Amino acid sequence: MTLLDDRPPRTTPAGGTLIDQFEVGLDAPICLTWELTYACNLSCAHCLSSSGRRDPDELTTEQCEAVIDELQRMQVFYVNIGGGEPTIRPDFWHLLQYAVDHQVGVKFSTNGVRLTPEKARLLASTDYVDVQVSLDGATAEVNDYVRGPGSYDTALTALQNLQDAGFRDAKISVVVTRQNVTQLDEFKAIADRFGATLRLTRMRPSGRGADVWDELHPLPEQQRVLYDWLVAHGEGVLTGDSFFHLAPFGEALPGLNLCGAGRVVCLIDPVGDVYACPFAIHDTFLAGNVLGDGGFGEVWQRSELFADLRSPQTSGACTRCSFFDACRGGCMAAKFFTGLPLDGPDPECVQGHGEQALAGDRQVPAASQDHSRTTPARNQPVMLTLSRREDVLTPAAPPVSACAEDPLAGFTL
């Protein structure tokens, strides 16, 4: 996608409701997701960015500082840092402090591997920082099936370290799957135990998630269970507008209940590429790069892709559905990565239109990038002994050498 040099910077029109303002886009994102590195000590089965190996061209410390300077000038409220495992970057703690010192709040997602008691105390003494620990099972059996052996204990140890250090209101981030949707009460109990807030997000069929979508995404009857639970507990649980496709069940869930891709959110990847949606790291949704002329601001305000997303949208057959105003046609990323048209129904449409669309002719797009390790890591999830997109068992590869693939080789807690 090229930038339109002759297009003037857009401005948000005055007047209208808050949602009206958001639909045509803001002059700067409210928040953005920034994947600092694709390096990761885990190989989660549903990883959106297919992380594992570091990209040798990832932004340098100085380039990251320049991005933070620009976010400060644009008055971006906060940045949601992820990966990969962001704490693996040697300059992670420096960049976190640099952002805070430049009035850019930081929320970072981690599997907890480097949240030692010392780092937990550092975080507890730092303002404008929020920590989100990933946990995809309320028991080790369910969590480690997806995230890898030992990852459950690592996450709970990190939460304990944060609590002991006096860090207030950590977040526990859960990707809702077919296997853990029955554990919502247990997740809430874990959050209460550590003085944390539960955050539920929807599984998307992107990255490695495309390979396990049919096995992991909640069944139709489980979608109703999830909706009823969120209605009952929604005020105390964060969702980040992940589940607006459930709104046709009844009342809308808390939040904006619309797709904010390119309007109020976007993603910067480790090499500086800017994508419209944190869940759609694919060339189709690439808007530009922060290293280009004009930096991130040029991409956000002048890219052709973002301009298109902020234009009035058509939603095909969905506009004839009486529930369209509630769900707005669902999630762009979920549709794209299951081979459905962007103006068609969400694959998990609770009215059943998605199932009908999935049964028709469709072409699932190939991944545009994959940073997975070439050989399994020591903590590979059990389920990934299944060949990708196949139904036959593959013999497990021998353990990888310590120096070859593991970003944490030699690291001890």
Side-chain angles (χ1 to χ4, degrees):
M1 185 65 65
T2 59
L3 300 183
L4 299 184
D5 296 332
D6 57 349
R7 175 176 292 176
R10 61 162 312 284
T11 56
T12 302
T17 66
L18 187 62
I19 290 180
D20 291 337
Q21 298 282 312
F22 285 175
E23 281 192 313
V24 298
L26 302 179
D27 293 330
I30 294 176
C31 67
L32 60 86
T33 297
W34 187 355
E35 311 287 27
L36 276 183
T37 184
Y38 287 129
C40 192
N41 59 303
L42 299 182
S43 298
C44 298
H46 56 6
C47 180
L48 292 168
S49 56
S50 299
S51 289
R53 294 175 289 113
R54 172 184 175 272
D55 192 307
D57 295 323
E58 67 184 30
L59 298 177
T60 66
T61 301
E62 293 73 21
Q63 290 169 334
C64 290
E65 290 175 347
V67 172
I68 293 169
D69 291 340
E70 187 169 16
L71 299 181
Q72 181 187 24
R73 288 192 297 270
M74 295 177 69
Q75 298 183 323
V76 172
F77 184 57
Y78 75 89
V79 58
N80 184 11
I81 291 178
E85 172 53 43
T87 63
I88 285 178
R89 267 190 70 131
D91 59 0
F92 169 76
W93 302 102
H94 163 76
L95 292 174
L96 182 149
Q97 190 62 54
Y98 188 89
V100 170
D101 290 344
H102 289 75
Q103 293 78 53
V104 178
V106 174
K107 175 189 293 184
F108 74 92
S109 300
T110 177
N111 57 49
V113 69
R114 286 191 166 175
L115 287 191
T116 62
E118 177 187 8
K119 294 304 185 184
R121 289 191 293 270
L122 172 65
L123 291 168
S125 66
T126 306
D127 293 330
Y128 308 116
V129 174
D130 197 10
V131 183
Q132 191 165 271
V133 179
S134 297
L135 190 70
D136 290 331
T139 59
E141 179 183 17
V142 173
N143 177 84
D144 293 2
Y145 177 70
V146 174
R147 301 186 64 83
S151 56
Y152 179 84
D153 292 338
T154 297
L156 262 61
T157 297
L159 289 165
Q160 187 66 63
N161 290 341
L162 289 168
Q163 184 179 50
D164 292 346
F167 187 92
R168 300 182 62 183
D169 196 25
K171 306 299 184 292
I172 297 177
S173 180
V174 176
V175 176
V176 179
T177 66
R178 188 175 305 176
Q179 288 75 17
N180 68 24
V181 71
T182 59
Q183 297 184 319
L184 298 176
D185 288 335
E186 288 83 352
F187 280 122
K188 186 66 169 60
I190 292 173
D192 293 343
R193 168 184 160 193
F194 290 106
T197 297
L198 180 61
R199 183 177 189 271
L200 301 180
T201 60
R202 182 183 178 186
M203 182 186 169
R204 266 79 169 191
S206 54
R208 286 197 294 269
D211 299 317
V212 295
W213 168 257
D214 290 336
E215 180 178 352
L216 291 188
H217 81 93
L219 297 168
E221 58 269 25
Q222 293 176 323
Q223 300 278 1
R224 182 72 206 213
V225 170
L226 172 61
Y227 173 79
D228 290 341
W229 194 90
L230 288 172
V231 169
H233 301 85
E235 293 301 325
V237 176
L238 303 176
T239 63
D241 282 310
S242 288
F243 303 108
F244 57 90
H245 71 293
L246 300 178
F249 276 136
E251 62 183 285
L253 298 170
L256 291 174
N257 289 293
L258 61 82
C259 174
R263 300 180 177 104
V264 296
V265 298
C266 66
L267 175 137
I268 301 175
D269 84 347
V271 300
D273 284 338
V274 181
Y275 295 88
C277 172
F279 307 112
I281 305 176
H282 190 277
D283 290 345
T284 301
F285 302 103
L286 177 60
N289 189 284
V290 300
L291 300 181
D293 293 341
F296 172 74
E298 178 79 5
V299 180
W300 179 261
Q301 296 188 344
R302 299 194 186 204
S303 79
E304 184 179 6
L305 173 64
F306 285 179
D308 289 344
L309 289 172
R310 294 161 186 163
S311 301
Q313 302 291 307
T314 61
S315 293
C318 282
T319 56
R320 298 193 295 271
C321 176
S322 60
F323 297 101
F324 174 72
D325 288 341
C327 76
R328 305 297 181 102
C331 173
M332 176 181 75
K335 288 187 275 191
F336 177 79
F337 287 109
T338 51
L340 299 181
L342 297 186
D343 63 354
D346 188 291
E348 293 184 298
C349 169
V350 300
Q351 296 300 309
H353 301 305
E355 294 178 62
Q356 298 173 24
L358 290 171
D361 293 334
R362 56 194 173 96
Q363 184 173 357
V364 177
S368 60
Q369 54 181 297
D370 189 346
H371 301 275
S372 303
R373 296 187 182 91
T374 54
T375 54
R378 290 188 297 270
N379 48 10
Q380 193 90 346
V382 174
M383 66 179 304
L384 288 190
T385 56
L386 290 175
S387 293
R388 301 177 75 185
R389 299 187 186 275
E390 295 178 10
D391 294 322
V392 295
L393 289 175
T394 301
V400 57
S401 64
C403 62
E405 296 282 359
D406 187 356
L408 293 182
F411 176 80
T412 55
L413 295 176

